Coordinates of all heavy atoms in Angstrom, one line a residue:
L9 N 150.8 -5.2 94.3 CA 151.8 -6.2 94.6 C 151.3 -7.4 95.4 O 151.6 -8.5 95.1 CB 152.9 -5.6 95.4 CG 153.9 -4.6 94.6 CD1 154.8 -3.9 95.5 CD2 154.6 -5.4 93.5
I10 N 150.4 -7.1 96.4 CA 149.8 -8.2 97.2 C 149.0 -9.1 96.3 O 149.1 -10.3 96.3 CB 148.9 -7.6 98.3 CG1 149.7 -6.8 99.3 CG2 148.1 -8.7 99.0 CD1 148.9 -5.9 100.2
A11 N 148.1 -8.5 95.4 CA 147.2 -9.3 94.6 C 148.0 -10.1 93.6 O 147.8 -11.3 93.4 CB 146.2 -8.3 93.9
E12 N 149.0 -9.5 92.9 CA 149.8 -10.2 91.9 C 150.6 -11.3 92.6 O 150.8 -12.4 92.0 CB 150.7 -9.2 91.2 CG 149.9 -8.2 90.3 CD 150.8 -7.2 89.7 OE1 152.1 -7.3 89.8 OE2 150.3 -6.2 89.1
A13 N 151.1 -11.0 93.8 CA 151.9 -12.1 94.5 C 151.0 -13.3 94.8 O 151.4 -14.4 94.7 CB 152.5 -11.5 95.7
L14 N 149.8 -13.0 95.3 CA 148.9 -14.1 95.6 C 148.5 -14.9 94.4 O 148.5 -16.1 94.4 CB 147.6 -13.5 96.2 CG 147.7 -13.0 97.7 CD1 146.4 -12.2 98.0 CD2 148.0 -14.1 98.7
K15 N 148.3 -14.2 93.3 CA 147.9 -14.9 92.0 C 149.1 -15.7 91.5 O 148.9 -16.8 91.0 CB 147.5 -13.8 91.0 CG 147.1 -14.4 89.6 CD 145.7 -15.2 89.8 CE 145.2 -15.7 88.5 NZ 144.0 -16.4 88.6
S16 N 150.3 -15.2 91.7 CA 151.5 -16.0 91.2 C 151.7 -17.2 92.1 O 152.3 -18.2 91.6 CB 152.7 -15.1 91.3 OG 153.2 -14.9 92.6
Q17 N 151.1 -17.2 93.3 CA 151.2 -18.4 94.1 C 150.0 -19.3 94.0 O 149.7 -20.2 94.8 CB 151.4 -18.0 95.6 CG 152.6 -17.2 95.9 CD 153.9 -17.9 95.6 OE1 154.0 -19.1 95.8 NE2 154.9 -17.2 95.0
N18 N 149.3 -19.1 92.9 CA 148.1 -20.0 92.6 C 146.9 -19.8 93.6 O 146.2 -20.8 93.8 CB 148.5 -21.4 92.5 CG 149.3 -21.7 91.2 OD1 149.3 -21.0 90.3 ND2 150.2 -22.7 91.3
V19 N 146.8 -18.7 94.2 CA 145.7 -18.4 95.1 C 144.6 -17.9 94.2 O 144.8 -16.9 93.4 CB 146.0 -17.3 96.2 CG1 144.8 -16.9 96.9 CG2 147.1 -17.9 97.1
E20 N 143.4 -18.6 94.2 CA 142.4 -18.2 93.2 C 141.2 -17.6 93.9 O 140.3 -17.1 93.2 CB 141.9 -19.5 92.5 CG 143.0 -20.2 91.7 CD 143.5 -19.4 90.5 OE1 142.7 -18.6 90.0 OE2 144.6 -19.6 90.0
Y21 N 141.0 -17.7 95.2 CA 139.8 -17.2 95.9 C 140.2 -16.4 97.1 O 141.1 -16.6 97.8 CB 139.0 -18.4 96.3 CG 138.6 -19.3 95.2 CD1 139.4 -20.4 94.9 CD2 137.4 -19.1 94.5 CE1 139.0 -21.3 93.9 CE2 137.0 -20.0 93.5 CZ 137.8 -21.1 93.2 OH 137.5 -21.9 92.1
M22 N 139.4 -15.3 97.3 CA 139.5 -14.5 98.4 C 138.2 -14.2 99.0 O 137.2 -13.9 98.3 CB 140.2 -13.1 98.0 CG 140.4 -12.1 99.1 SD 141.1 -10.6 98.6 CE 142.8 -11.1 98.3
F23 N 138.1 -14.4 100.4 CA 136.8 -14.1 101.1 C 137.1 -13.0 102.1 O 138.1 -13.1 102.8 CB 136.4 -15.4 101.8 CG 136.1 -16.5 100.9 CD1 137.2 -17.4 100.5 CD2 134.8 -16.8 100.4 CE1 136.9 -18.4 99.6 CE2 134.6 -17.9 99.5 CZ 135.7 -18.7 99.1
G24 N 136.2 -12.1 102.3 CA 136.5 -11.1 103.3 C 135.4 -10.1 103.4 O 134.3 -10.2 102.8
I25 N 135.7 -9.1 104.2 CA 134.9 -7.9 104.4 C 135.8 -6.7 104.3 O 136.8 -6.6 105.1 CB 134.1 -7.8 105.8 CG1 133.1 -9.0 105.9 CG2 133.4 -6.5 106.0 CD1 132.4 -9.1 107.2
V26 N 135.6 -5.8 103.3 CA 136.6 -4.8 103.1 C 136.3 -3.6 104.0 O 135.2 -3.3 104.5 CB 136.6 -4.3 101.6 CG1 137.0 -5.4 100.8 CG2 135.2 -3.8 101.2
G27 N 137.3 -2.8 104.2 CA 137.2 -1.5 105.0 C 138.6 -0.9 104.9 O 139.5 -1.5 104.4
V28 N 138.7 0.3 105.4 CA 139.9 1.0 105.4 C 140.9 0.2 106.3 O 140.5 -0.1 107.4 CB 139.8 2.4 105.9 CG1 141.1 3.1 106.0 CG2 138.8 3.2 105.0
P29 N 142.1 -0.2 105.9 CA 142.8 0.3 104.7 C 142.9 -0.7 103.5 O 143.8 -0.6 102.7 CB 144.2 0.7 105.2 CG 144.4 -0.4 106.2 CD 143.1 -0.8 106.8
I30 N 142.0 -1.7 103.5 CA 142.3 -2.8 102.6 C 141.3 -2.9 101.4 O 141.2 -3.9 100.7 CB 142.4 -4.2 103.3 CG1 141.1 -4.5 104.1 CG2 143.6 -4.2 104.2 CD1 141.1 -5.9 104.6
I31 N 140.4 -1.9 101.2 CA 139.5 -2.0 100.1 C 140.2 -2.2 98.8 O 139.8 -3.0 98.0 CB 138.6 -0.7 100.1 CG1 137.8 -0.6 101.4 CG2 137.7 -0.7 98.8 CD1 137.0 0.8 101.5
E32 N 141.3 -1.4 98.7 CA 142.0 -1.5 97.4 C 142.7 -2.8 97.2 O 142.9 -3.2 96.0 CB 143.1 -0.4 97.3 CG 142.5 1.0 97.2 CD 142.1 1.6 98.5 OE1 142.2 0.9 99.6 OE2 141.7 2.8 98.6
V33 N 143.0 -3.6 98.2 CA 143.5 -4.9 98.1 C 142.5 -5.9 97.4 O 142.9 -6.6 96.5 CB 144.0 -5.5 99.4 CG1 144.5 -6.9 99.3 CG2 145.1 -4.6 100.1
A34 N 141.3 -5.8 97.9 CA 140.3 -6.6 97.3 C 140.0 -6.2 95.8 O 139.9 -7.1 94.9 CB 139.0 -6.5 98.0
M35 N 140.0 -5.0 95.5 CA 139.8 -4.5 94.1 C 141.0 -4.9 93.3 O 140.8 -5.4 92.1 CB 139.7 -3.0 94.1 CG 138.5 -2.5 94.8 SD 138.4 -0.7 95.0 CE 138.3 -0.1 93.3
A36 N 142.2 -4.9 93.8 CA 143.4 -5.3 93.0 C 143.4 -6.8 92.8 O 143.8 -7.3 91.7 CB 144.7 -4.9 93.8
A37 N 142.8 -7.5 93.8 CA 142.7 -9.0 93.6 C 141.8 -9.3 92.5 O 142.1 -10.2 91.6 CB 142.2 -9.6 94.9
Q38 N 140.7 -8.7 92.4 CA 139.8 -8.9 91.3 C 140.4 -8.6 89.9 O 140.3 -9.3 89.0 CB 138.5 -8.1 91.5 CG 137.6 -8.6 92.6 CD 136.3 -7.7 92.7 OE1 136.4 -6.5 92.7 NE2 135.2 -8.4 92.9
A39 N 141.2 -7.5 89.9 CA 141.8 -7.1 88.7 C 142.9 -8.1 88.3 O 143.2 -8.3 87.1 CB 142.5 -5.7 88.9
A40 N 143.5 -8.8 89.3 CA 144.5 -9.8 89.0 C 143.9 -11.2 88.6 O 144.6 -12.1 88.3 CB 145.4 -10.0 90.2
G41 N 142.6 -11.3 88.7 CA 141.9 -12.5 88.3 C 141.5 -13.4 89.4 O 141.2 -14.6 89.3
I42 N 141.7 -12.9 90.7 CA 141.3 -13.7 91.9 C 139.8 -13.4 92.1 O 139.3 -12.3 92.1 CB 142.1 -13.2 93.1 CG1 143.6 -13.6 92.9 CG2 141.6 -13.9 94.4 CD1 144.5 -13.1 93.9
K43 N 139.0 -14.5 92.4 CA 137.6 -14.3 92.7 C 137.5 -13.8 94.1 O 137.9 -14.4 95.1 CB 136.9 -15.7 92.5 CG 136.9 -16.2 91.1 CD 136.2 -17.5 91.0 CE 136.2 -18.1 89.6 NZ 135.5 -17.2 88.7

Side-chain angles (χ1 to χ4, degrees):
L9 286 173
I10 295 166
E12 291 175 11
L14 288 169
K15 184 66 175 178
S16 73
Q17 299 301 322
N18 292 334
V19 174
E20 300 292 339
Y21 301 91
M22 181 181 285
F23 301 85
I25 296 178
V26 296
V28 175
I30 57 168
I31 297 173
E32 290 84 357
V33 174
M35 295 172 65
Q38 289 179 316
I42 295 173
K43 294 179 182 296

